[in-house]
Structure formats: structure tokens, C-alpha cells
Amino acid sequence: MTRLFVEHLTVIDCAYLDAQRGLVGESWIVDLELEGALDDQGMVLDFGEVKKRLKKAVDAVADHKLLVPGRAAELDLVLSGAGSGLSFRAATGPVEHQGPAKALCNVPAAAITAEALAAVIEPALMKAVPESVSAARVRLRHEAIAGSYYHYTHGLKKHEGLCQRIAHGHRSKLHVSVNGKRDERIERHWADRWRDIYLGTSSDIVSHGKGRIRFEYRSGEGEFELELPVERCDLLQTDSTVERIAEHLCAQVAAERPGAKVEVRAYEGVMKGAIATAG
């Protein structure tokens, strides 16, 4: 048998529930191998078809979803028709989520790992390939980052696509320059502050007290609710698009350095993001 491979087929931007860390934003790069007999063109599968069919299949499983470890002792999950509700007892405090069932990916494992998610994705890929393909294998890996990065989750209620889901996220690097020179100390400060953070919008808060904060909104897919420990949240006065995140960070840095020229390059997952400048 001959194997075809595609490196960096796509990126899964998602969130998952972890017994120690709570709600975690994640970005996994997806590498693919297909094994099978060669067709009349001398191919396992045309690369154009791989990108069209299989990227779509991967995205349908996990992209912009909340990954739930279905066998975790910490999980209470209720599915009712097209809706879902869950409570997850993490060491950092309980996480509660309600929303459309299609915003979740239930992974039959005690913990979310790259290997556990790959085992869910591979059968979905086999449904999208011709019978001549005998095996589909995926490897999920992190972007190699030299410097600071943070995991964040958020939801964009005005978004017409999948970003409207209240608990999806990213693993993102950060570059900050002051007067034309990169400042890694500032980058580390914000990466530490925003490690496993939920970036919420103040106007979405419906309750805030007793160490808890609850967000609710309605978007095109339906009603979403999320409740977290207050120390796992940071608030923006705007929606938490990456453009607004870059602006927020830039304003914070510039306020501490009056007169300095500040540039923030904020990433949203892998190889994309926004730049904000001040001064």
C-alpha cells in the first residue's frame, strides 16, 4: 500500500474541559495520512479532494466546539433534543455550560488528549473517502512557539459563523514591541495573566457574585450560557474579537508607558491575528 500525507491540513480551534485546568482554549494543527490503492490517475486521492472533503470532515467533528470528556468522573452532562447542559467539577472551580448540542463534541475518554480526539476524527474521515482508501490517520500537534503564549476561550454573539459559540478558544502567541524593540517581559506578563482565561464581554454578564460570573446571550444558533469562577475570567468592554483583544492589550501597555510607541501583534490560534499600535 502507498500512503499519501498532508501536513497542516487545517487547524482545530476549540475549547475543552480539564479536571485540573478547567475550561481551556486550544489550537491543534492537523496532519493527515491516507493509505490505499492507487486509482487510475496513480493517486491515493487527489490533493484537491483531500483539502475539500477531509478538511470539512475534520471541522465538522471538533472545530469551534467545546470538547467534553464523556467518561470523566467530574462531568454531569444532559442532552435534550437539540440542546445540552453540563456541569464539570474542575480543580479551579465548577464550569457550567448550556447551549445547542452541536456546539459540543463528546469524546469517549476520561480526559481530552490529542490522541483521544484523533480517535474520534479518524472514523469521520473514513466516511468521506472512496472505498479504495483503507486507512486514515491524523496527528494533532501544537505550533512550535519560541516565546510566550496563552490559552484563551471566548464567544462572539454577533458572529454569523461558528465563532458565535460561547466556549471555543485558541492557543495563541503574543508579540509586543515598545519603541521598535520587542519586549519579552511584557509578553510573559500577559501570557501568565491570561493562562487558561475566559475573555468575556461585560454586556453579556447576567450575574456576578460569590466568586462566580455568568454570561448569557442569544446568537443565530440559539441560547448560550456559561458560568465560571471569577478568577478564570477577564473582561472587555467590547466583543472579544482578536482585533479588540489587540486594541485592549495595546491600550494597557501604552497606559503604563506614556509617550512610547507600542505595537501589539495578537494571534488567534495559528498564523492569523491582528495588529494594534499606539503612540
Side-chain angles (χ1 to χ4, degrees):
M1 289 288 184
T2 302
R3 289 179 292 166
L4 172 150
F5 70 89
V6 178
E7 296 175 354
H8 203 144
L9 172 68
T10 188
V11 176
I12 297 172
D13 288 312
C14 60
Y16 66 90
L17 296 169
D18 182 86
Q20 297 302 313
R21 298 165 65 186
L23 181 64
V24 182
E26 189 59 278
S27 297
W28 271 308
I29 297 169
V30 181
D31 296 332
L32 169 71
E33 279 191 9
L34 297 180
E35 183 175 302
L38 303 186
D39 61 17
D40 292 342
Q41 304 175 86
M43 300 177 179
V44 175
L45 186 62
D46 183 83
F47 283 120
E49 287 297 304
V50 170
K51 293 176 182 178
K52 181 169 65 176
R53 292 193 203 184
L54 301 191
K55 180 185 183 305
K56 184 177 180 180
V58 171
D59 290 348
V61 171
D63 192 47
H64 284 73
K65 293 189 177 186
L66 174 59
L67 311 185
V68 179
R71 296 176 182 164
E74 299 83 2
L75 175 68
D76 293 318
L77 175 64
V78 176
L79 297 176
S80 177
S84 68
L86 67 82
S87 177
F88 189 81
R89 299 176 295 278
T92 53
V95 177
E96 297 180 10
H97 177 281
Q98 294 186 39
K102 61 185 175 182
L104 302 184
C105 173
N106 195 341
V107 178
I112 300 298
T113 64
E115 294 75 19
L117 181 56
V120 176
I121 292 172
E122 288 171 353
L125 295 182
M126 289 302 296
K127 295 178 181 179
V129 295
E131 292 183 359
S132 58
V133 176
S134 57
R137 304 181 185 93
V138 296
R139 180 172 73 103
L140 306 183
R141 60 182 170 90
H142 285 138
E143 176 188 20
I145 298 176
S148 298
Y149 63 90
Y150 53 94
H151 296 256
Y152 77 95
T153 45
H154 68 153
L156 303 175
K157 62 181 177 291
K158 300 174 186 174
H159 197 268
E160 295 180 358
L162 302 183
C163 293
Q164 68 185 267
R165 294 170 178 171
I166 201 168
H168 74 277
H170 314 273
R171 175 182 182 265
S172 301
K173 60 185 177 181
L174 175 66
H175 291 174
V176 178
S177 297
V178 178
N179 294 325
K181 184 177 180 180
R182 186 172 170 186
D183 194 320
E184 295 183 0
R185 185 185 64 82
I186 297 175
E187 295 170 3
R188 286 194 299 271
H189 166 77
W190 281 98
D192 289 341
R193 176 171 171 174
W194 279 1
R195 181 174 289 113
D196 297 341
I197 200 73
Y198 185 79
L199 296 180
T201 300
S202 295
S203 61
D204 296 334
I205 296 173
V206 294
S207 66
H208 189 176
K210 297 182 179 181
R212 306 281 292 170
I213 187 165
R214 190 173 190 88
F215 303 90
E216 294 183 11
Y217 60 69
R218 169 176 282 277
S219 67
E221 284 192 345
E223 296 280 353
F224 287 94
E225 302 178 26
L226 181 68
E227 185 174 302
L228 300 163
V230 67
E231 62 268 18
R232 304 312 308 152
C233 303
D234 205 352
L235 299 178
L236 279 67
Q237 299 304 311
T238 63
D239 289 332
S240 55
T241 63
V242 71
E243 293 89 346
R244 293 299 196 187
I245 290 171
E247 290 176 353
H248 176 80
L249 290 171
C250 191
Q252 297 291 314
V253 175
E256 296 177 356
R257 291 157 181 79
K261 183 178 180 180
V262 176
E263 180 179 285
V264 170
R265 190 178 186 93
Y267 285 76
E268 184 183 72
V270 180
M271 297 175 64
K272 66 184 190 301
I275 299 170
T277 58

